[in-house]
Amino acid sequence: MKQNSRLLNKIILLLVVFMFISGVLLFSNEADTIFNMDIPVVYGEEKFIQRIESLTGGTREPVGLVLSGGSARAFAHIGVLKYLEEVGIVPDFIVSNSMGSIVGLLYGAGLSPDQIYQLIESTDIGNLFELTLPILGGLLDVSKFTSLMHQYIGDLDLADLPIPVMVICEDLIEKREIRITEGDFYTIMEAAYALPVYFSPIQYKNRLLIDGGISNLVPLSAAYQYTNQVIASTTFYKNPDLNLKNPLTILNTAMDINKSRTGIQQIKEFDPLLIRCNVEEFSFMDFASLREISDAGYQSAKEMFRELEQLSGSHANSQLWVKRDIFSERLALELRNYQYTSRIEIMRSTVTVDISVENNFYPYASTYLLDDMYFSAGAGVAAGPLQGRISWGEVWDTYNTLTFIPSLQLDAAYSPFFFLQTELKYRQSFDFSGISDILGSFYTKAAIHTVPFADTDSRFDVPISFEIIGTWDSSVYSSLLTTGARYSLHRTIERSGAGFIEAGYQLADFSRNEMFGSLGVSFPVMGDFDFSQRLFTRISLDGDGKTSYYNRDYIRSTLPNGLYDSNVISSTEIVFIPSAWKQTFAELVILKNLRVSGYTDLGIFDNFLWAAGMQMECDISLIGLKPLRITAYAGFDSFSGGLSAGIYFKYF
C-alpha cells in the first residue's frame, strides 16, 4: 500500500515538473515571438546580395533606390525614374512598399519609365478594382488588375528580375516587418499594396501580409543594409484644405501620422539623397491625374541635378536592355488588343460576393426591351476569359407599375479573342401574390460583339443581339433581333472633338422589319463650352406606316415605348465643362467631369414633339475607382404639356 502511494506521489511530482517545464518553454516561445517583433524577416537575401554584386562587379558602391508609398501619388516615381535615366543613373537595387512597389516592380522587371506610364495610362487602373463584400478581409477585388499585368508582362519571379527589388510588407500573424526578394511576382505585388480594409491580406509562405507602408512610408533602413549610396523618392501628403472635423478624414490622417513620422525619422537618421516629389497636395485616390503627378516627379528629380551627378550610376545592366526590347513588342501588341474590347483573361480563378444596381432605363443601356432597375446581391466567378454572376434581388418597374418584383438573374460573358465578346443574360421574375403563375415573367438576351478595328483615336463596332421578354402563363411575349455597325472618333486630348455614325437593322417579334441610323458630333466652341448635336431616325421596311420607339432612342420626354407614325429625333446641347473642377469629400469620394448643359430635343412621332431644359452630369468615384455617372435633367415637355424630369446613373 505504501509502495503504491509512493509511486503515485512520484507520478504526480513528475507531472508537476513536466507541466512547469512546458509552461516555461511555452512562455519562452511566446516571449520570443513578442520580443522579436522589431526584427525584420528577409526572404532570399543571399541571392539578393549576389545579384547586386554581379551588377557592380564588386568595384563600386551600389546605388540603391527607395520608392515610398502614397497611393496615386506614387506615380510620381515614374517621372523620377525617367529623369534618373536621362542623367545616366540606373539603380543597382530597389526597395519599395505600398503603391511605390507597383512602379518599382515594373521597372525592376525591365519596363522603361515611358512603358510604365503608357501601361498605366492605357489601362485606367481605377476601373480595374471592383467593390466586393469583405469576406476575405478587403472591400476591393484585385483579380482584374493582377490578371491584366500578367497579360502584359507574363510569368515572373522576383528573384529573376534584371534589377533586384526588395518589397517591404507587414505580417499580421507575428506583427513583424517582412522583406521579400523572391517569389511569385504577382503575389508579392498584391501584398505590397494590401492596404487594410481596402484590400485583403495576402498569403505568402506562412505569413499573412499587408502593405508595409502602414508602419513606415520610406523604408530606408532596409536599403542601408546593402549600400551607403541611397536615393529616396518620397510622396508625403500635406493638404492644407482637409476638414479635420470629418470622422473619415480624422481616421485617414491618424493612420498617416505614424508611417510619415517613422519615414521622416529614417530620413533624418540616414540622410539619403532625397527627392521630395512635389505631389504632397494630391489626393491619395487621384488616379486620374497620372500626367500631372508623373511630371511633378520628373521636375522634382531635376531640381536635384547637382547632387545626382555625384553618384556612380551605370548603364551596364545589359539584361535590362534585352528585357526592354522584348517588352516593347509585347506591350505594343497587348495594349493594342486591350483597346478593342478591354479583354482580361483572369489569371487565377476567383469568387466574389457583392451588391449591385443595374440600370436598364439609361438612354444608352445595352438592352431595348428592359426599362427597369435591378437591385441585387450576388456571387461572381471569373476564370480565364469567362466571367459570370448569379444574383437575387428586386426589379423596380420604373415606367409602368412602379412596383418591386423578386427576381433571380444569371449573367455570363465569354471573350475567346481580343476582338470578340459574347454575352448571355437570363432573368426570372416571380409572382408570390397568387394572382398568376409563380413563374411570372422572364427575360433573355444573347449577344455577340465584334470589334474589327480599334486604336486610341477611333473604333469600329459590330454588335448582334437577340432579346426576348414575356410571361410563362400566357403566349404573350416580345422579341427583338438587332444588328448593325458603329464607327466612333474619340476625344483623345483635352478640348478636342468627338463623334460617331451608326446604322443597323431590327426584326421585332419575327414580323416587323426596321432600319435605324444615328449621327452625333461634339466639339469645343469657346473656352469651357462645347456644342453637341445628335440625330436619330428609325424607319419601317414593311410599309404599314408604323415605326417603333424605345426609351433607348432617347428623347427627354414622357413619351412611352410603342408604335408611332414615324421616329425622328434631334438633340442639341450647349455644354459647359469646367476643366479645373474637382471635389473630394473626406478623402474617400471624388466628384469630377462635371457637365452642365442646356438642351433642346425635337421629335416627329404621331405629332411634332419638343422638349427643352437643363441637364447636369457628374462622375462620382469611391477612392478613385470605377466612376458612377449620374445624369439629371429637368425641363418642359410638349407631350405631357408640363414639367418633365429624369435621373439616370451608370458605371463607366
Side-chain angles (χ1 to χ4, degrees):
M1 188 74 175
K2 288 182 179 181
Q3 290 179 347
N4 291 338
S5 177
R6 288 173 183 170
L7 179 61
L8 181 60
N9 289 337
K10 288 179 180 180
I11 293 173
I12 293 173
L13 179 61
L14 286 173
L15 287 173
V16 170
V17 171
F18 176 77
M19 292 175 64
F20 174 77
I21 294 174
S22 299
V24 169
L25 291 174
L26 181 61
F27 175 79
S28 176
N29 288 336
E30 290 180 351
D32 286 344
T33 301
I34 292 173
F35 285 97
N36 284 339
M37 285 172 58
D38 63 332
I39 302 174
V41 177
V42 186
Y43 287 103
E45 183 175 35
E46 183 177 351
K47 187 174 180 180
F48 183 72
I49 294 172
Q50 292 173 355
R51 292 165 64 205
I52 295 173
E53 290 177 348
S54 69
L55 292 173
T56 63
T59 60
R60 61 179 174 83
E61 184 80 4
V63 176
L65 175 63
V66 174
L67 302 179
S68 75
S71 295
R73 296 189 300 276
F75 294 144
H77 301 319
I78 300 173
V80 170
L81 290 167
K82 182 178 178 67
Y83 184 76
L84 291 180
E85 287 200 358
E86 288 181 5
V87 297
I89 297 173
V90 174
D92 298 302
F93 69 92
I94 296 171
V95 175
S96 64
N97 63 15
S98 197
M99 289 291 284
S101 292
I102 293 180
V103 177
L105 286 167
L106 293 175
Y107 186 74
L111 275 69
S112 71
D114 287 339
Q115 288 172 330
I116 297 172
Y117 181 91
Q118 183 185 21
L119 187 155
I120 293 173
E121 180 188 45
S122 302
T123 53
D124 196 356
I125 280 185
N127 284 358
L128 298 177
F129 298 109
E130 297 188 334
L131 285 170
T132 183
L133 296 179
I135 55 176
L136 297 177
L139 292 168
L140 300 173
D141 176 55
V142 304
S143 57
K144 283 189 175 181
F145 173 73
T146 301
S147 298
L148 191 58
M149 293 299 105
H150 181 261
Q151 256 174 234
Y152 287 143
I153 58 181
D155 293 328
L156 292 171
D157 189 286
L158 205 60
D160 299 327
L161 304 186
I163 299 177
V165 178
M166 174 180 284
V167 173
I168 310 296
C169 298
E170 294 286 347
D171 177 26
L172 288 178
I173 297 173
E174 292 191 1
K175 304 177 181 64
R176 296 174 70 176
E177 182 182 287
I178 309 298
R179 301 174 179 179
I180 308 174
T181 68
E182 63 180 8
D184 177 65
F185 183 91
Y186 303 99
T187 299
I188 296 162
M189 178 182 281
E190 289 179 354
Y193 63 80
L195 186 65
V197 180
Y198 294 108
F199 302 104
S200 301
I202 301 299
Q203 190 79 38
Y204 175 81
K205 299 185 184 294
N206 60 337
R207 309 288 178 179
L208 195 59
L209 302 181
I210 59 172
D211 180 352
I214 66 164
S215 58
N216 183 2
L217 199 63
V218 193
L220 284 168
S221 59
Y224 274 92
Q225 294 286 319
Y226 311 103
T227 186
N228 289 314
Q229 194 170 222
V230 175
I231 304 168
S233 177
T234 67
T235 57
F236 289 108
Y237 188 36
K238 186 189 69 175
N239 187 342
D241 298 324
L242 288 179
N243 176 12
L244 294 178
K245 294 185 179 180
N246 182 294
L248 293 174
T249 305
I250 293 171
L251 179 61
N252 287 333
T253 304
M255 292 176 62
D256 185 64
I257 290 174
N258 183 64
K259 64 183 181 182
S260 296
R261 180 185 293 159
T262 304
I264 290 169
Q265 286 173 346
Q266 292 207 351
I267 289 172
K268 291 179 178 179
E269 177 184 353
F270 294 104
D271 191 25
L273 195 162
L274 181 64
I275 300 173
R276 184 178 171 184
C277 296
N278 185 25
V279 294
E280 295 175 4
E281 294 188 8
F282 283 89
S283 169
F284 77 95
M285 59 185 177
D286 199 357
F287 293 102
S289 298
L290 172 62
R291 180 178 297 278
E292 295 91 332
I293 291 173
S294 178
D295 288 347
Y298 180 91
Q299 293 300 324
S300 299
K302 191 174 183 179
E303 292 173 3
M304 301 300 294
F305 170 73
R306 295 190 181 280
E307 291 81 358
L308 289 169
E309 67 180 356
Q310 304 299 318
L311 296 179
S312 56
S314 170
H315 276 73
N317 192 335
S318 58
Q319 187 184 2
L320 184 66
W321 313 125
V322 171
K323 284 287 188 180
R324 286 190 182 175
D325 289 340
I326 296 172
F327 282 135
S328 179
E329 297 179 6
R330 179 167 184 152
L331 277 175
L333 176 63
E334 291 296 339
L335 286 170
R336 179 184 68 85
N337 290 349
Y338 186 71
Q339 289 169 348
Y340 277 67
T341 59
S342 300
R343 178 182 183 268
I344 298 176
E345 186 161 342
I346 301 301
M347 179 182 172
R348 298 186 290 259
S349 299
T350 59
V351 177
T352 56
V353 179
D354 63 7
I355 54 176
S356 178
V357 180
E358 178 184 309
N359 187 350
N360 292 307
F361 67 89
Y362 195 86
Y364 306 110
S366 62
T367 66
Y368 281 92
L369 299 184
L370 290 181
D371 54 6
D372 54 30
M373 294 178 65
Y374 177 53
F375 303 85
S376 67
V381 61
L386 177 65
Q387 297 183 56
R389 182 175 184 265
I390 186 169
S391 58
W392 173 265
E394 297 279 343
V395 169
W396 183 33
D397 186 352
T398 54
Y399 273 92
N400 300 308
T401 63
L402 298 180
T403 57
F404 286 90
I405 306 167
S407 300
L408 177 71
Q409 182 166 301
L410 173 66
D411 294 275
Y414 179 63
S415 183
F417 308 107
F418 69 88
F419 57 86
L420 178 66
Q421 285 183 327
T422 62
E423 174 192 348
L424 175 66
K425 180 191 292 289
Y426 178 77
R427 179 192 292 175
Q428 178 64 60
S429 296
F430 299 91
D431 184 355
F432 295 121
S433 67
I435 297 176
S436 63
D437 185 353
I438 189 172
L439 296 177
S441 63
F442 67 91
Y443 169 82
T444 301
K445 176 187 176 183
I448 300 175
H449 183 194
T450 306
V451 184
F453 171 79
D455 61 17
T456 55
D457 300 315
S458 61
R459 64 183 290 121
F460 183 52
D461 296 90
V462 182
I464 304 173
S465 67
F466 177 73
E467 301 174 68
I468 184 169
I469 189 170
T471 58
W472 290 105
D473 60 353
S474 70
S475 59
V476 177
Y477 69 90
S478 296
S479 66
L480 185 65
L481 173 67
T482 303
T483 185
R486 178 186 177 101
Y487 180 73
S488 308
L489 290 172
H490 309 312
R491 177 170 291 189
T492 55
I493 60 174
E494 189 176 357
R495 309 303 298 149
S496 64
F500 70 88
I501 184 169
E502 180 180 25
Y505 164 80
Q506 289 183 316
L507 173 64
D509 298 332
F510 300 103
S511 61
R512 195 168 66 252
N513 296 273
E514 296 178 328
M515 295 288 293
F516 65 88
S518 186
L519 171 69
V521 294
S522 177
F523 52 85
V525 289
M526 181 181 63
D528 287 337
F529 287 89
D530 273 16
F531 173 82
S532 177
Q533 177 66 57
R534 174 179 173 267
L535 301 173
F536 176 87
T537 187
R538 180 180 279 109
I539 58 175
S540 173
L541 302 179
D542 299 324
D544 62 358
K546 291 296 181 180
T547 304
S548 302
Y549 168 75
Y550 301 98
N551 289 318
R552 178 172 160 168
D553 297 345
Y554 194 36
I555 185 167
R556 279 158 282 209
S557 166
T558 54
L559 184 73
N561 285 358
L563 296 175
Y564 297 89
D565 292 338
S566 60
N567 181 346
V568 179
I569 300 171
S570 169
S571 296
T572 306
E573 294 184 57
I574 298 295
V575 188
F576 174 60
I577 309 173
S579 54
W581 188 87
K582 185 184 295 183
Q583 297 291 323
T584 62
F585 297 94
E587 292 295 279
L588 187 67
V589 177
I590 184 168
L591 276 63
K592 59 184 180 180
N593 296 335
L594 178 67
R595 297 166 57 92
V596 181
S597 61
Y599 69 84
T600 300
D601 291 346
L602 307 176
I604 303 175
F605 300 96
D606 288 345
N607 299 294
F608 177 75
L609 183 154
W610 65 270
M614 298 292 295
Q615 177 171 292
M616 183 177 73
E617 284 186 346
C618 184
D619 291 349
I620 300 178
S621 177
L622 177 67
I623 60 171
L625 303 178
K626 183 187 298 185
L628 175 70
R629 177 165 296 174
I630 295 182
T631 303
Y633 72 87
F636 188 86
D637 168 22
S638 68
F639 180 81
S640 64
L643 181 69
S644 67
I647 184 168
Y648 310 106
F649 56 88
K650 181 177 178 62
Y651 281 105
F652 280 85

